[in-house]
Amino acid sequence: MVLIEKEWLSLGHKFTDRCGHLARDLKETSPVFSQFIDCTWQVLQQFPAAFQFNERFLLTIHDHVFSCQYGTFIGNCEKDRIDLRLPDRTYSLWGYMLHNMSDYVNPLYKRNGRYDTMLKPNTGPPNIRFWRGMYNRFDSGVHPRESVLDVLCVAKDQSSSLEDHLQLLNKRLGAMKALLGQNSVTSCDSLTDSAVLSDVESDARCRNAASVPASNNKLLQSTEAVVRGNAANSESPSDCESGIDVKSLRISQCSLEEKRSAELRAGELEMEANSVAVEWKTLRNVHNCSCLTQFEYFSRKYHCWKCGDVFCTRCIDKHTALPGHYSQRPVPVCRNCYKEVKCNV
């Protein structure tokens, strides 16, 4: 974008005359800019990892040079664009492309120092390829069933979604393990304490029974009666009168609350697990969107990150964070999944 803005637009390339936007002298018409786009594509084929943009990026620029839908390439120089007040009366192509930059990213691009120096492409005749995407774009019989770059982009997005989902599941499993370990330690401690107390009480009873002579059985019985009477007096009158065990009632209430919280956590885990599509639909046999829009070879097909189905750019214009993603970053979803996610939140 910066290169075209600086070397072509600012330096005064005559787009109106060279592209034949108006009925003028035919001698001024020349496909100079088309040759520049073609040369860039040839270098891109020889060095696929040196450029951050893909083939669709070049085709979009070339199409809108001749479409005049945006005011970026109208006029022969900067003065013509200022006199026509194009920045105020038209939209810029760069704004549209920056808004849809995800469509023009090259998945093979590598950020390293290998291509920091000047690229030296091989200009031999066997290395010059015919650009079917430019000159035979609408001939469906000469194109493969799916684009390799689109398949790589889909695989990259799917792996990113699954890694984000796996990170959340690992966090939930760690929390469950910690909770189960804490409960097991508490139950083991309570069982150990009760066993120790029962052993101590049984030993004391055995020692007392062995030390008390047979002649003092009446005294022992009277002592036990006094102890039982004191224990009965220590209980609250309301509990004895009503016959309700407060401790067991409190334990049942706590268990009921724990059960409800466990059910809520299970519902949340199920919602998080079902909010991310594990399997995505393949692009090979998809020819139409659900809105009956027909896909061409260079039409970008988008996947819904929740249901995994394929849609066109108009049907997947919503972005939202999925409950099953750890990062909670907005991802593209279809309209039905968007409504479902918003209703569950």
Side-chain angles (χ1 to χ4, degrees), residues 130-257:
F130 178 76
W131 191 1
R132 292 178 302 177
M134 171 74 78
Y135 307 108
N136 294 99
R137 185 189 309 183
F138 303 103
D139 296 338
S140 58
V142 299
H143 298 293
R145 288 184 293 179
E146 55 185 354
S147 174
V148 177
L149 296 180
D150 289 345
V151 173
L152 291 176
C153 290
V154 170
K156 185 177 179 181
D157 292 340
Q158 186 178 9
S159 62
S160 177
S161 176
L162 293 179
E163 288 176 359
D164 202 351
H165 186 49
L166 183 61
Q167 189 175 2
L168 180 67
L169 293 180
N170 288 331
K171 181 181 178 181
R172 294 290 183 264
L173 288 176
M176 292 176 66
K177 287 180 180 179
L179 182 60
L180 292 176
Q182 183 179 1
N183 292 337
S184 63
V185 170
T186 304
S187 60
C188 290
D189 292 341
S190 61
L191 290 175
T192 304
D193 294 341
S194 61
V196 170
L197 289 175
S198 62
D199 293 340
V200 171
E201 290 176 355
S202 62
D203 293 340
R205 289 177 182 175
C206 291
R207 287 195 298 270
N208 293 332
S211 60
V212 175
S215 60
N216 295 333
N217 288 334
K218 294 182 179 181
L219 180 60
L220 180 60
Q221 292 176 0
S222 62
T223 305
E224 291 179 353
V226 172
V227 172
R228 287 196 297 269
N230 293 333
N233 293 329
S234 62
E235 296 180 356
S236 61
S238 59
D239 296 340
C240 297
E241 293 175 0
S242 60
I244 299 175
D245 192 356
V246 179
K247 293 183 179 179
S248 61
L249 182 60
R250 291 177 180 176
I251 292 173
S252 62
Q253 290 178 353
C254 293
S255 62
L256 183 60
E257 292 178 358

Side-chain angles (χ1 to χ4, degrees), residues 259-269:
K259 184 178 180 181
R260 290 178 179 175
S261 61
E263 291 178 355
L264 291 176
R265 287 194 296 268
E268 292 177 358
L269 290 175

Side-chain angles (χ1 to χ4, degrees), residues 112-125:
N112 52 23
R114 181 180 177 183
Y115 302 106
D116 291 342
T117 59
M118 182 181 298
L119 300 178
K120 296 181 180 180
N122 192 343
T123 58

